[in-house]
Amino acid sequence: MDGLGPARRKRTTVGGGFLQQLERRVAEGAAADKAAVPGGRVVPLTRHEERETRDPCLLSTSLQGVFAHNALICVVSKKQPGIRLYARAHPLNFSASVRGISVLRAVAEAVGLTDKDVELREARDEEAELSQVVMVLFDRYLSKRDIWHMHLALMQDGGQVIYDSIDHNLQEHIPRSRIEKLTAAVGPDRTRVTCGRVTPRTEVIFKSGCVNMVVLIQVSTELFTFGLSGRAYWEVLLECLARLVDKSLRVPPTAVGDGHYIRLILFGRRRSAAEPVQEVAHTDSSPDARRRGSWDDEPQDFYEVLWEGVARALPTTHQLVMRVRQVFLLLQEQMARSRFRGAEGTPVSDAPSVPRGWHGIAADELEKASKGNLLECLNIVLDHLDQHHLDRSLRITGQSIVALTAGNGLIRTSKDLYKLTHRRFTSSGPSSAKAFHLICVREPPLHQVPWIQWEGGPEPLDAAGKARGKGEAEGLPPRPPWIELVYHKEVDFCPCLQKGARWMQASFLPLEVISKTAGALHIPRLEEASAQGSTQSACASVPVSPLLGPVKVAHAAFLTDLHPLEGLARSGSEASPTRGTSSAHGGAAGAGRGSNGGQSTPGHAASTPAPPTYTGHALWAELRAPVLRPYFRTGVSQPTDKKTDMLSRYHIVDPTRFNNEDKFSEKMNTMMDLIGCRLEARTSELCYETAGSNNVRCWVGQQPQKKAGESGVANWCMQGHRVPQELQNGVVIRAGSGSVGWRMEVQDNGLFVYHWGADDSADADKSHYKYQFYIRRRYSDHPTAGLTRAGTRSDVDDEDDGSWTGVSAGDAWQKVKRIFHLPQRPDWNRLDKIIGGDDMPAALPYPVDHSSDLKGDRCPGWQLRSAIKQNLLVIVPDEDADLSQVEHFRAALALSGGRLAVGEDPFELLEEHAKASTPEGAAAAGGGPASEPLLPDEGAASPTTASTATPEGARRSALIARFARVLAGLEDLCFGAGAGRTPSSSSTSPSFASDQAKRSPMGVQLNAKGDRFLVRRLSRSVKVSGMSMPSAHAQSRDWFELFYDDLFSPPKPFILVMQWMVCSSVHLVNFRLKFTRICEDNGFRVLRLPIASLFPQPAPPEVWSTEKETNFDRLAFHSPRLLRLPGSLSPEARGELNARLLEAWLRPPLGLFCLLCSSRVDFKVEVMPDQAVSEKVQNHQVFQRLRGWVLSHREGHFLVALREEHIMYYENRLYYAEARDPAIWEQRSQLLCSLWSSFTEVTRPIVSAAVAAAASASAGGGRSSYREASDVRREASEK
C-alpha cells in the first residue's frame, strides 16, 4: 500500500489506525484458517430467545453428517474474523426446526456476532482450551460430590463448551450460576474470552454467592481509646461494619436470590476480679489453665447474637449499625460516669445511677483484644459449621468467618487451645478457601502479625528471630496460615499516612507489653527517622540487659533498619516465596496445605515480609462471593514411596444399587461418588498423575473409553466412562495434611479402595478443651425485647434458683458449657458399602420401642457424621381443631388418676385402654367386662365403611381420607405411577406382615377409630431416575432415603425424615416444594423442626463425663432457655405438676401438640470397637433419648422439652431462614418475643404453686395438696 511495514507505519493518523486494524483482522483470520480443519460450510445464522430454548447453540439436522461425531465447531464471521465462538456437534445439539445454526441472542450480543451467514469449521480441541474458569454459584447447596460431578461433566467428551454471557451453564446441576471469567490457554497474552472448553489442565475456581457467614465483633477495651483521627475506635469499627454490610452482604433489590445466611455476634471477655486493671507482665496474661480445665470457676466470656437470617432480610444499614452502637454508647456512658464518680471519691459500686453497660458488664471490666476470647469464639463457630449436615440447608454453599476487632493481630492464648484450633482449621475448617478474615480497625504494628502468643512460645520480638519453647518441634506455627489479616484505615486525610511521613505514626500507636529476652534491642536515635522519612540506620544496636525483665516498648521504628509498616507488618493473605503453588486448580488459595501455608518457620521472621493489606474493593468483592476451597490439582506423586503400605489396607466395593448392565461404567460411576464423599468429609484434595508419571498403570479389566454421546445421554450428565482417560487410572485423594491417601481402581472383581499411610494426626488426636461462658440472644428492636419483667436490663444471671419469683433466666446471660474437640470421621468401609448398595441406617433416635431392651444402637446412622445429610419434616392438619390434643390428654389423665410420671405417654394409656375395652382385650386381661370408651369419636367407623355416625367421627374420617390422598401423591412423586419396593420396617413384630393388607400407599396404616397411636419406623429408598418431577431423568444416579411413621392416627402428627449422601439439592428442592404443595392442597402443612436441637449428636467418647450438657455436640448460639423445676417435690406432687403443665401448654393460647414421649432412657450410644477409651469413660452411659416430653408449637415456631430437672425452651432456628423481607423478619422476631412472654405467663403460676405446696408440706410436716396450693395462690393473685 504505502510501502511501509507494519512496524514503521504511523498509528497517529486515522488512515494508519484503520490500516493496522485491518491487517490485524486479516492475521487473525489467517491464524484461524490455519488452526481450523478443512471442510468449512457457510450456513445461515439465526438467533433465538431464552423463552424458546436455553441451549446456547443449535445446529440443523442437515449438518449432522457433515461434521464428525461430537466435533468442536468454530463459528467464523466474515465481518469480524477474530470472533471466538465454538459449539459441539453433540447429537442432542441438533434440531430439525433450525436452518443452519441458531445462537442464543445473549451469546451473539456478547461476542458481537451480527452476520446473516457464517462459516462453520471443524476446529482442533486445543484451540478452544481454557486455562482458567471462575464460576459463581447461587441459591443452591452443592456438596463436594456435586461440584466434582459438575466438574467431570465439564471435562467429559473432550470438554463441554461453556459461555460467560448466560447464567444457566450446567443448569441441570445448578439452576443459576454465572461465569465471572474465562481465560484462554492459547494466544500471546492469554486474554479473556467469551467461550471455551474445560480440560483437566484448566484451573476451575468455584465461588459461592450464598455462604453461611458468621460476622464477629469483638468488644474490648481498645474500642474506647482514641485513634489517629481523634475518633474512638468503636466509631471506626462501626464505619467498617457499615461498609461490610453495604458492599458485601446486602442483596440488591433487583438481584435474584437471597444472598448469604448471616449471623451477627458480639463477643468479649471480662477481666477476673483477682486480676488488676493495670498492665501486667506477659507471663500472667495467658488464660488460667486451671480455670479452663474445670467447671469450678465463673466464666468470664460473653456472647450476644444480635441478628440472624438471610441477607435479603437484612434491615437497613443504619438500623443494623444502631444495634451495635447502642451497646458501645452504653459502655462509653458507663465508663464516663464511673470515672467521674471515682474522681469525686464516691465508690462506683455505691452509685446506683451508673448504667451497667453491656447487659451488666462494665467498660472498665473489659479485657484487651490480644487477651480476649477470639480463639474460643472461633471454636464455637466451628462447632456450628461442623454440624451443617443436620437440618441441611438446600440453598447455602460454603462457609466463611469474618471478625472485626480493635486489636492489631496479636493473640495471646493457651497453647492447648491454639493447638486444637489450628488442627480444626487445617483438618476440617470452613469450606471457603480463605476461611477466616480478621479485620483490624487499627493501624498495623511494627512486628510480625498475625501472631499467636502462648506461654513458652516464640515471640514476635525475639532477638535474631530465634524461636523459644516447643512450638517449632510440635509443628505449631505462631503465624497461622488460616488467618487472613486485613486492616481498615482509620482515616485517609491524616498527614502521618502520607508517603515520606509515616515515621510520625509510631508516636501515636498504643503501647504493648512484650517480655524481653536475651539479646540486643535496637534503640534508634532521633535522627534515624527524619521528617523526610529516611529509612537509613544511623547507629548500631544498643544492648540491653536481660535482667530488666518485661519492658514497655512503643511500636516505633526500633526493629532493625526496615522501613516502618512496610517492612515488618505482615498480612496472612500475602504469600511468601516459600508458599507452594498448584499447577492446575486453586492457585494461591489452595497452596500450602499440609505445611505452614507458606508462613515462616515457627519463631523465625519471614525473609521478605509483605506490606499490610487494607480493606477495599478486592476484600468486599471477595466476601460478596467467597472462593470455595480447591480440591483438584495435577502432577502430584503418591504420598508414600512404599507400595506395600498402599496394598496393606484395602476393601472391595461391589456396586449393586443401580442395575447397570455395563459393569465397568457402574464401577466407574460409583468410584466418582466415593471420591466426592471423601472430598466432602475433610479438607482433602484430589490429585491425578500426569501421563508421563511412572506411577500410572493400567489395571485388570480396564476397558477403552466409549464413544462420546453414544447412548444419547445429554452432555451435562456425568458418566464415568466419558471423563478424560487420565482421571480414570491415576486418581489419588489426599488429606489436607498430606498424611492420608486413597486410591481407587476398577477391576473385574469389584471396585478396589486402597488406603495407605498412618491416619491423619488430626483424626488420631483425642485432645479436647473444656470451656464455659455466657450467651444471650437479642431478637428484635421492639422496646420490650431483651427486657425483664421489671422493665430494666438484666444482669448476669447464672441459674434460676427454682423459686420462680422472677423469671429472668431466659432474658439474662445464660451459662453454657462446651467441650471443644476435633470432628470425628466416618467409617469409610461402611460408607462405601452404603453407596454401593447397602441399606442406609437411620440416624435419628425415633421412635422409642418399649418392648426392646437397651442393648445395641438402633440408629447407627449418626456414626457416619457429616456424610449423611438430614431434614426432619412434620405433617400436621391446617385446622387447629384437628391438631388439638386436649381431649385425648384429659381422657388419659382420667385413666392415670390426674398425674403423669416423667415421660409417660398419654397416647399409650389410651391405646391400652382401647385394647381393654374390646372383648378380646378384656379376655386377655383375665376376664371381666370391657371398658367404656372415653373419647366421643372412639367408636367412629373406619374409612372403608364411610360411616358418619357422629360429627366427630365424620370429621376424623374426612381427615383420614385427605391424608390418604397426601400419601398417594407422595408415592406417585417418589415412584411414579408404579409402586416402589415394599417398605422395610425396623420392627420384627409378627403382626407387621398381616397389617400390610390394611395399609395405604407408602405402607402407612390409617387409623380412623382412634384406638391405636404407637408407631414404628418404615423406610424406602427413592431413586431420582424414577421420580415424577421436572429435574428427574433416566440416567440420574442420585438417591435418598425416607424414614417415616407406619401409622397415622390423629391428633398425633406424622413424622417424615429425609436422609441422603449422594443427591443433588436440585432434586431435593423440587421434592420438598412439590410435596409441600401436595400437603397444602389437601389441608395439611409441613413443619421443619431443628434436628440439632431435638437430637444433638453424641460427642466422642473421650469427652464423656457426668455433665450431660457436654456429652452431646450442641449448638451454643441456639442454646435453650433453661427453667429449673423444684427438686423437693414428692412423686405424687411431681406427677400432678407434669399433668398441669402439659394440659396448660396443650390448651390455647399456646396450643402446643405432643411430639415425642419417653418414659425411660433409650438409644444407648455404643463405643465403637476400634475406639480406644479409658475405663472411666467406658463406665459412662450416654443415651440419645432422655425421659420426658417434647412439645411443638402448632406452626413450629418453638419447642418445649419437659425433663426431670428442667424445662427447656427452644426457638426454631430454621424459622429465621424463611423470612425474605426485613419487615417480615421483624414481625417474626417480635412474634418469638411474644410467644416467650405467653409461655412464661402460662408456666409461672403452675410452677410457683408447686413450689408453694412443697414448702407448705415441708413446714407442716405433712402433705399439701397441689390443687389446694394452686387455689390459694390464684385467690391471692385475684385480690
Side-chain angles (χ1 to χ4, degrees):
M1 298 179 183
D2 55 4
L4 297 177
R8 298 179 56 190
R9 188 176 299 115
K10 292 184 178 181
R11 181 177 173 82
T12 55
T13 64
V14 177
F18 284 138
L19 194 56
Q20 282 190 349
Q21 293 181 13
L22 179 60
E23 290 174 347
R24 185 172 64 252
R25 292 180 181 179
V26 171
E28 291 175 351
D33 292 341
K34 183 178 179 181
V37 178
R41 172 171 293 194
V42 178
V43 298
L45 171 66
T46 58
R47 298 163 187 82
H48 60 266
E49 304 291 343
E50 286 193 16
R51 62 177 180 270
E52 301 173 10
T53 176
R54 305 189 75 178
D55 294 324
C57 294
L58 289 176
L59 301 172
S60 173
T61 53
S62 61
L63 301 174
Q64 195 160 5
V66 176
F67 300 101
H69 184 85
N70 203 53
L72 181 67
I73 300 176
C74 178
V75 181
V76 180
S77 170
K78 294 300 182 181
K79 294 181 180 180
Q80 302 184 41
I83 283 182
R84 192 182 163 104
L85 182 62
Y86 301 94
R88 279 284 183 192
H90 192 275
L92 298 183
N93 289 341
F94 291 94
S95 175
S97 60
V98 174
R99 181 172 174 264
I101 182 173
S102 179
V103 181
L104 189 66
R105 185 173 297 277
V107 175
E109 293 176 353
V111 300
L113 189 62
T114 60
D115 302 51
K116 295 183 178 180
D117 296 306
V118 294
E119 183 179 359
L120 302 183
R121 297 180 181 177
E122 190 171 332
R124 296 184 178 90
D125 286 346
E126 294 79 8
E127 179 183 342
E129 183 175 346
L130 297 171
S131 64
Q132 187 185 70
V133 176
V134 181
M135 177 181 289
V136 186
L137 314 174
F138 296 98
D139 300 329
R140 281 295 181 272
Y141 163 63
L142 264 70
S143 66
K144 282 297 182 63
R145 179 259 181 187
D146 300 332
I147 295 178
W148 171 234
H149 275 220
M150 184 167 62
H151 197 169
L152 289 174
L154 287 172
M155 295 185 291
Q156 67 189 8
D157 292 345
Q160 184 177 163
V161 179
I162 58 176
Y163 306 84
D164 70 345
S165 52
I166 57 178
D167 59 355
H168 53 267
N169 289 277
L170 297 173
Q171 60 177 338
E172 291 79 9
H173 294 268
I174 181 167
R176 182 171 169 263
S177 63
R178 185 182 73 242
I179 299 296
E180 190 173 274
K181 182 180 180 182
L182 295 179
T183 306
V186 296
D189 52 357
R190 294 188 176 185
T191 57
R192 294 186 60 171
V193 293
T194 57
C195 66
R197 70 182 188 92
V198 178
T199 69
R201 295 173 296 278
T202 304
E203 179 187 5
V204 183
I205 298 176
F206 293 100
K207 294 184 176 182
S208 176
C210 49
V211 303
N212 187 356
M213 181 172 289
V214 183
V215 180
L216 309 172
I217 301 176
Q218 186 173 20
V219 184
S220 62
T221 184
E222 291 94 339
L223 289 173
F224 307 98
T225 59
F226 293 95
L228 300 178
S229 62
R231 297 183 299 170
Y233 278 113
W234 65 264
E235 296 184 43
V236 183
L237 187 144
L238 292 180
E239 177 187 273
C240 181
L241 175 63
R243 294 187 183 180
L244 172 66
V245 173
D246 288 336
K247 298 181 179 296
S248 298
L249 304 184
R250 188 169 303 282
V251 179
T254 58
V256 180
D258 300 324
H260 303 324
Y261 187 86
I262 303 169
R263 292 184 180 91
L264 183 62
I265 298 169
L266 289 178
F267 72 100
R269 171 169 290 175
R270 183 171 64 179
R271 290 192 297 266
S272 59
E275 183 177 351
V277 176
Q278 62 270 18
E279 203 70 65
V280 296
H282 164 65
T283 54
D284 298 330
S285 62
S286 60
D288 189 351
R290 289 177 298 177
R291 180 173 69 86
R292 295 299 178 196
S294 64
W295 308 119
D296 298 334
D297 299 329
E298 278 299 305
Q300 302 296 325
D301 296 345
F302 299 84
Y303 303 86
E304 181 178 12
V305 182
L306 290 182
W307 196 89
E308 179 177 356
V310 296
R312 185 166 291 278
L314 275 171
T316 64
T317 305
H318 175 73
Q319 292 175 338
L320 194 64
V321 172
M322 279 301 298
R323 294 192 178 199
V324 187
R325 185 188 298 271
Q326 181 184 12
V327 175
F328 293 161
L329 288 176
L330 289 173
L331 285 169
Q332 183 168 330
E333 182 184 3
Q334 182 273 331
M335 176 182 289
R337 291 192 181 184
S338 61
R339 288 178 178 177
F340 176 77
R341 291 180 177 274
E344 292 182 346
T346 304
V348 178
S349 59
D350 297 339
S353 60
V354 176
R356 291 299 295 166
W358 183 25
H359 306 293
I361 305 171
D364 296 331
E365 301 172 342
L366 291 173
E367 186 57 274
K368 295 178 59 177
S370 60
K371 303 177 185 178
N373 53 332
L374 178 60
L375 294 191
E376 288 88 347
C377 183
L378 290 179
N379 277 274
I380 296 177
V381 174
L382 289 178
D383 285 347
H384 277 253
L385 301 184
D386 286 343
Q387 303 296 321
H388 68 92
H389 58 287
L390 302 180
D391 312 303
R392 176 66 249 182
S393 172
L394 301 179
R395 300 184 182 273
I396 300 297
T397 298
Q399 302 164 339
S400 184
I401 307 174
V402 180
L404 279 66
T405 178
N408 58 10
L410 178 65
I411 303 172
R412 290 171 169 171
T413 184
S414 66
K415 180 181 178 181
D416 292 338
L417 177 61
Y418 173 50
K419 182 179 179 181
L420 178 63
T421 308
H422 176 69
R423 293 190 175 180
R424 293 188 72 176
F425 267 96
T426 55
S427 66
S428 60
S431 57
S432 298
K434 297 181 179 180
F436 175 45
H437 288 81
L438 180 61
I439 303 177
C440 302
V441 298
R442 291 168 55 186
E443 290 296 325
L446 297 182
H447 57 76
Q448 299 182 75
V449 284
W451 194 274
I452 306 294
Q453 178 69 62
W454 65 89
E455 187 174 0
E459 296 189 4
L461 298 183
D462 277 353
K466 241 172 150 191
R468 287 198 300 119
K470 304 177 181 179
E472 183 177 0
E474 298 184 8
L476 201 59
R479 302 184 64 196
W482 38 268
I483 295 182
E484 300 293 330
L485 186 59
V486 185
Y487 290 92
H488 180 75
K489 288 186 178 181
E490 300 179 26
V491 65
D492 293 330
F493 59 86
C494 180
C496 306
L497 302 179
Q498 301 301 320
K499 185 177 181 180
R502 295 181 115 181
W503 63 273
M504 299 173 57
Q505 186 179 1
S507 303
F508 300 98
L509 294 177
L511 300 179
E512 189 68 61
V513 178
I514 301 174
S515 60
K516 182 67 185 70
T517 59
L521 174 65
H522 178 72
I523 301 179
R525 296 177 182 177
L526 180 61
E527 60 268 19
E528 282 190 46
S530 62
Q532 286 75 27
S534 174
T535 60
Q536 300 297 325
S537 177
C539 67
S541 299
V542 180
V544 179
S545 171
L547 299 179
L548 294 178
V551 180
K552 284 187 179 182
V553 291
H555 287 179
F558 60 86
L559 296 176
T560 69
D561 57 353
L562 297 177
H563 191 283
L565 298 179
E566 294 181 355
L568 293 176
R570 161 74 187 231
S571 168
S573 61
E574 300 293 338
S576 68
T578 59
R579 182 183 286 265
T581 58
S582 60
S583 59
H585 183 78
R593 296 286 182 190
S595 62
N596 289 342
Q599 303 293 342
S600 57
T601 305
H604 296 274
S607 57
T608 56
T613 302
Y614 286 91
T615 58
H617 175 75
L619 174 65
W620 307 135
E622 181 179 343
L623 295 178
R624 191 182 310 116
V627 178
L628 300 181
R629 189 170 55 229
Y631 65 93
F632 180 63
R633 58 180 177 151
T634 63
V636 180
S637 59
Q638 295 186 20
T640 178
D641 294 329
K642 298 180 180 180
K643 305 294 182 179
T644 55
D645 293 344
M646 183 184 70
L647 300 177
S648 61
R649 300 167 60 187
Y650 72 92
H651 61 274
I652 303 175
V653 178
D654 185 18
T656 59
R657 183 169 298 279
F658 297 93
N659 299 323
N660 192 347
E661 296 180 357
D662 188 348
K663 299 301 181 184
F664 171 78
S665 298
E666 180 62 25
K667 296 172 186 176
M668 189 64 64
N669 293 336
T670 303
M671 184 182 77
M672 298 305 172
D673 286 336
L674 301 187
I675 291 174
C677 289
R678 279 160 174 76
L679 295 176
E680 176 74 11
R682 58 174 64 232
T683 53
S684 303
E685 59 185 6
L686 183 142
C687 318
Y688 81 93
E689 299 159 350
T690 57
S693 175
N694 296 328
N695 293 325
V696 175
R697 54 192 177 121
C698 296
W699 48 74
V700 179
Q702 180 174 334
Q703 300 181 11
Q705 213 173 6
K706 293 190 175 183
K707 189 176 181 181
E710 181 180 13
S711 59
V713 179
N715 227 7
W716 53 264
C717 183
M718 194 285 300
Q719 295 291 318
H721 60 270
R722 297 163 60 195
V723 302
Q725 192 71 26
E726 53 266 41
L727 296 180
Q728 299 184 21
N729 57 5
V731 175
V732 175
I733 303 109
R734 296 173 54 170
S737 62
S739 58
V740 177
W742 289 270
R743 181 165 184 157
M744 303 178 188
E745 296 185 0
V746 176
Q747 299 188 12
D748 286 340
N749 54 344
L751 172 60
F752 281 65
V753 181
Y754 296 101
H755 181 210
W756 68 91
D759 200 3
D760 192 356
S761 59
D763 296 339
D765 194 341
K766 304 298 182 183
S767 60
H768 54 272
Y769 189 84
K770 290 184 177 180
Y771 182 54
Q772 60 177 346
F773 52 94
Y774 288 109
I775 196 167
R776 74 187 305 275
R777 295 181 65 90
R778 190 195 301 185
Y779 297 91
S780 173
D781 287 332
H782 194 267
T784 60
L787 297 175
T788 59
R789 292 195 322 278
T792 58
R793 295 282 172 183
S794 56
D795 294 341
V796 176
D797 203 355
D798 294 346
E799 290 184 2
D800 198 350
D801 58 2
S803 61
W804 282 73
T805 55
V807 184
S808 61
D811 301 314
W813 296 101
Q814 294 180 251
K815 183 186 292 185
V816 180
K817 297 179 180 180
R818 293 293 180 268
I819 298 181
F820 303 139
H821 59 82
L822 294 167
Q824 287 191 310
R825 305 302 182 192
D827 183 355
W828 295 109
N829 294 23
R830 187 173 187 182
L831 185 147
D832 294 345
K833 292 180 180 179
I834 293 175
I835 295 178
D838 288 0
D839 291 337
M840 181 185 294
L844 299 187
Y846 168 85
V848 173
D849 190 356
H850 298 276
S851 62
S852 64
D853 55 13
L854 299 179
K855 296 180 180 180
D857 192 350
R858 303 195 307 279
C859 60
W862 67 268
Q863 298 173 2
L864 297 177
R865 299 292 178 174
S866 61
I868 295 184
K869 283 74 176 176
Q870 307 162 35
N871 276 179
L872 173 60
L873 308 178
V874 178
I875 295 89
V876 297
D878 276 337
E879 297 292 335
D880 292 341
D882 294 332
L883 185 59
S884 175
Q885 300 176 349
V886 176
E887 296 299 330
H888 291 74
F889 185 79
R890 289 173 178 171
L893 287 184
L895 297 174
S896 62
R899 60 176 65 94
L900 289 175
V902 176
E904 189 174 5
D905 190 352
F907 290 98
E908 184 179 1
L909 296 176
L910 294 178
E911 182 169 339
E912 293 176 352
H913 174 76
K915 291 180 180 179
S917 63
T918 61
E920 296 81 2
S931 303
E932 294 293 332
L934 297 175
L935 295 172
D937 60 338
E938 203 169 294
S942 63
T944 57
T945 60
S947 174
T948 57
T950 62
E952 293 81 3
R955 185 182 186 91
R956 186 182 184 90
S957 298
L959 180 64
I960 293 292
R962 296 203 313 268
F963 192 76
R965 292 195 294 270
V966 170
L967 293 177
L970 176 61
E971 182 156 26
D972 180 71
L973 171 62
C974 294
F975 308 105
R981 69 173 176 85
T982 302
S984 61
S985 172
S986 57
S987 173
T988 57
S989 172
S991 62
F992 177 77
S994 62
D995 290 340
Q996 284 296 117
K998 307 175 184 178
R999 295 174 186 267
S1000 70
M1002 301 293 295
V1004 178
Q1005 183 175 359
L1006 305 177
N1007 182 264
K1009 294 183 178 181
D1011 56 350
R1012 289 189 56 192
F1013 297 99
L1014 300 184
V1015 300
R1016 294 186 293 267
R1017 181 165 47 199
L1018 299 178
S1019 66
R1020 295 181 80 171
S1021 296
V1022 181
K1023 297 179 181 179
V1024 173
S1025 58
M1027 298 184 68
S1028 301
M1029 58 184 185
S1031 62
H1033 55 93
Q1035 290 79 25
S1036 174
R1037 295 185 51 80
D1038 293 358
W1039 62 277
F1040 60 94
E1041 197 81 11
L1042 288 181
F1043 294 89
Y1044 52 94
D1045 296 344
D1046 71 330
L1047 173 69
F1048 177 68
S1049 181
K1052 290 197 67 176
F1054 187 82
I1055 297 179
L1056 179 73
V1057 180
M1058 300 168 53
Q1059 293 184 187
W1060 72 92
M1061 288 183 176
V1062 287
C1063 189
S1064 171
S1065 63
V1066 175
H1067 309 306
L1068 296 172
V1069 168
N1070 288 338
F1071 168 78
R1072 273 186 19 194
L1073 290 176
K1074 196 166 184 179
F1075 177 62
T1076 302
R1077 191 177 302 113
I1078 292 173
C1079 293
E1080 292 175 351
D1081 292 343
N1082 292 280
F1084 289 85
R1085 58 174 174 261
V1086 180
L1087 310 179
R1088 277 195 66 201
L1089 298 185
I1091 297 176
S1093 299
L1094 290 173
F1095 307 112
Q1097 292 195 333
E1102 57 267 14
V1103 305
W1104 291 354
S1105 65
T1106 55
E1107 289 283 347
K1108 296 181 180 180
E1109 183 178 359
T1110 59
N1111 289 340
F1112 295 86
D1113 292 333
R1114 307 177 190 272
L1115 302 182
F1117 293 140
H1118 297 282
S1119 299
R1121 304 185 182 191
L1122 292 179
L1123 306 176
R1124 183 179 294 276
L1125 292 173
S1128 58
L1129 298 179
S1130 64
E1132 294 80 7
R1134 178 57 196 272
E1136 293 180 358
L1137 174 61
N1138 295 335
R1140 288 278 180 153
L1141 286 174
L1142 293 175
E1143 186 177 3
W1145 294 341
L1146 295 176
R1147 295 196 312 261
L1150 295 180
L1152 309 185
F1153 64 88
C1154 188
L1155 183 67
L1156 302 171
C1157 302
S1158 181
S1159 59
R1160 65 168 190 173
V1161 293
D1162 198 2
F1163 290 93
K1164 181 181 178 181
V1165 180
E1166 301 289 345
V1167 179
M1168 301 298 293
D1170 57 344
Q1171 291 179 318
V1173 296
S1174 62
E1175 183 178 354
K1176 181 180 179 181
V1177 171
Q1178 292 180 355
N1179 294 332
H1180 291 297
Q1181 291 187 342
V1182 176
F1183 298 90
Q1184 296 193 64
R1185 290 296 301 274
L1186 304 178
R1187 297 179 61 196
W1189 300 269
V1190 176
L1191 295 89
S1192 172
H1193 184 260
R1194 58 182 175 272
E1195 296 182 7
H1197 296 340
F1198 67 90
L1199 302 167
V1200 178
L1202 178 57
R1203 303 297 186 188
E1204 297 181 78
E1205 300 177 354
H1206 295 91
I1207 298 175
M1208 290 182 286
Y1209 183 95
Y1210 298 87
E1211 280 84 11
N1212 187 351
R1213 64 187 183 89
L1214 307 177
Y1215 189 52
Y1216 298 100
E1218 299 175 358
R1220 300 291 189 272
D1221 182 81
I1224 297 177
W1225 190 96
E1226 185 64 27
Q1227 293 174 3
R1228 295 189 174 189
S1229 299
Q1230 295 181 15
L1231 176 61
L1232 290 178
C1233 295
S1234 63
L1235 288 175
W1236 164 247
S1237 300
S1238 300
F1239 178 79
T1240 55
E1241 291 176 1
V1242 171
T1243 306
R1244 188 191 319 116
I1246 300 175
V1247 179
S1248 299
V1251 173
S1256 176
S1258 176
R1263 295 178 56 187
S1264 176
S1265 171
Y1266 175 90
R1267 294 181 175 85
E1268 293 177 0
S1270 179
D1271 295 339
V1272 171
R1273 188 175 182 87
R1274 183 171 58 254
E1275 292 176 1
S1277 62
E1278 292 175 355
K1279 291 180 181 179

